Amino acid sequence: MELKLTRPICFFDLETTGTNISKDRIVEISILKVFENNNKESYTWKVNPGIPIPKETTAIHGISDEDVADEPKFEELAPKINAMIKGCDLAGYNSNRFDIPLLAEEMLRVGLDFDLKKVNAVDVQTIFHKKEKRTLEAAYKFYCDKDLTDAHSAEADTNATYEVLKSQLDRYPDLENDTKWLSAYSAHKKFADLAGFIILNKKDEEVFGFGKFRGKKVEEVLEKEPGYFGWIQNSDFPLYTKKVLTAIKLRKLATK
């Protein structure tokens, strides 16, 4: 089943120096852009992260410091990547929890705005786990009857994810072939900041998802404990979390 699209969707996968959204960096990114007519274009870039790649991480994806020593840094590639995904929905495997938040961090570090308010984010892993609860390799075998021979290569994982989603639509008649619907179905908790430090409650109000103010409305905490804003801004939180928090604070000030 081909995807029914009202605008392009970019499937993408990152290979990174680690799993810390605030500190780790991209070492490879692959993007498969699918247009409304289901034509496709794809690009894969290796990236010099500017920090050492741990040996245990290289053991997983096979990319070493030597492999990326002469590759461009993210700030050089960011305009191309931004132009490719601008105006598109996004999809990936575990992308809502990892790839999208980390890509947002990289974009913000180099001064490019990254806003998901109008983006549908489809997480194929979530659909898979709700239906079968396995890994990407198992998903590819289960849905496509193919072996993922180059797992943990960004390009192979990206293309496999695209094929798996199409096969999921064929297999499950209750899945709607609509990006917005798939985005809602593949969402976990509703996060305001990608990383889950600020979540949305049942009334779509921003509340803290951690710490001593867990479950408390952000606006109320910032008003009663103004120093908490400064503590977060000066601590090791993701840049996107800080951006969202700043927007909430400015919104509150504008209503006074």
Side-chain angles (χ1 to χ4, degrees):
M1 183 183 293
E2 294 297 338
L3 302 181
K4 293 179 182 177
L5 302 173
T6 56
R7 63 176 176 175
I9 183 170
C10 287
F11 290 77
F12 79 104
D13 185 73
L14 306 178
E15 303 301 338
T16 65
T17 59
T19 58
N20 186 309
I21 291 170
S22 299
K23 296 180 179 179
D24 281 303
R25 302 290 190 269
I26 295 170
V27 299
E28 186 177 44
I29 179 170
S30 184
I31 302 175
L32 172 66
K33 187 171 185 177
V34 184
F35 295 89
E36 294 92 328
N37 61 2
N38 279 271
N39 285 346
K40 298 180 284 290
E41 67 175 1
S42 63
Y43 294 92
T44 300
W45 297 276
K46 279 193 168 57
V47 185
N48 184 335
I51 61 174
I53 303 172
K55 291 182 179 179
E56 57 269 25
T57 305
T58 296
I60 295 172
H61 54 50
I63 301 172
S64 66
D65 291 332
E66 292 75 18
D67 294 328
V68 296
D70 297 323
E71 299 293 341
K73 292 189 175 181
F74 186 82
E75 62 189 61
E76 300 172 57
L77 295 171
K80 297 178 184 177
I81 294 169
N82 191 52
M84 189 171 183
I85 67 177
K86 189 174 182 179
C88 299
D89 291 323
L90 297 174
Y93 196 85
N94 194 32
S95 49
N96 285 356
R97 290 184 172 184
F98 181 70
D99 299 82
I100 291 176
L102 200 147
L103 179 61
E105 287 300 291
E106 291 278 36
M107 289 290 195
L108 291 170
R109 283 188 197 109
V110 299
L112 285 174
D113 193 25
F114 192 88
D115 199 331
L116 285 174
K117 290 180 180 177
K118 296 182 180 180
V119 174
N120 295 306
V122 179
D123 194 328
V124 174
Q125 184 195 60
T126 303
I127 297 174
F128 183 36
H129 284 182
K130 284 186 174 182
K131 296 295 185 180
E132 306 296 341
K133 303 186 187 304
R134 303 264 181 102
T135 63
L136 177 57
E137 291 91 334
Y140 196 52
K141 183 67 176 178
F142 182 85
Y143 290 112
C144 306
D145 196 25
K146 299 177 183 177
D147 292 320
L148 186 52
T149 56
D150 200 13
H152 300 300
S153 149
E155 184 173 5
D157 288 356
T158 296
N159 285 295
T161 301
Y162 169 59
E163 290 188 45
V164 166
L165 179 57
K166 293 197 297 178
S167 294
Q168 286 174 331
L169 290 169
D170 286 327
R171 181 175 289 267
Y172 306 115
D174 60 313
L175 293 182
E176 295 185 20
N177 194 345
D178 175 80
T179 306
K180 187 175 182 179
W181 189 94
L182 291 169
S183 174
Y185 185 82
S186 61
H188 294 279
K189 288 182 179 179
K190 296 172 71 176
F191 296 158
D193 71 332
L194 303 177
F197 290 106
I198 302 173
I199 63 178
L200 299 175
N201 63 18
K202 293 180 180 179
K203 296 181 180 179
D204 279 342
E205 299 167 324
E206 297 100 342
V207 300
F208 283 109
F210 73 101
K212 62 181 181 180
F213 295 118
R214 184 183 182 91
K216 301 293 185 182
K217 289 175 62 175
V218 174
E219 284 190 356
E220 293 179 356
V221 171
L222 294 184
E223 188 168 6
K224 295 177 182 177
E225 300 281 347
Y228 202 59
F229 174 83
W231 174 75
I232 291 177
Q233 294 295 328
N234 292 313
S235 299
D236 191 23
F237 285 89
L239 294 175
Y240 198 84
T241 299
K242 295 177 182 180
K243 173 187 172 182
V244 170
L245 193 64
T246 300
I248 295 170
K249 182 178 181 180
L250 292 175
R251 184 184 69 203
K252 182 65 175 177
L253 291 172
T255 61
K256 290 185 175 182

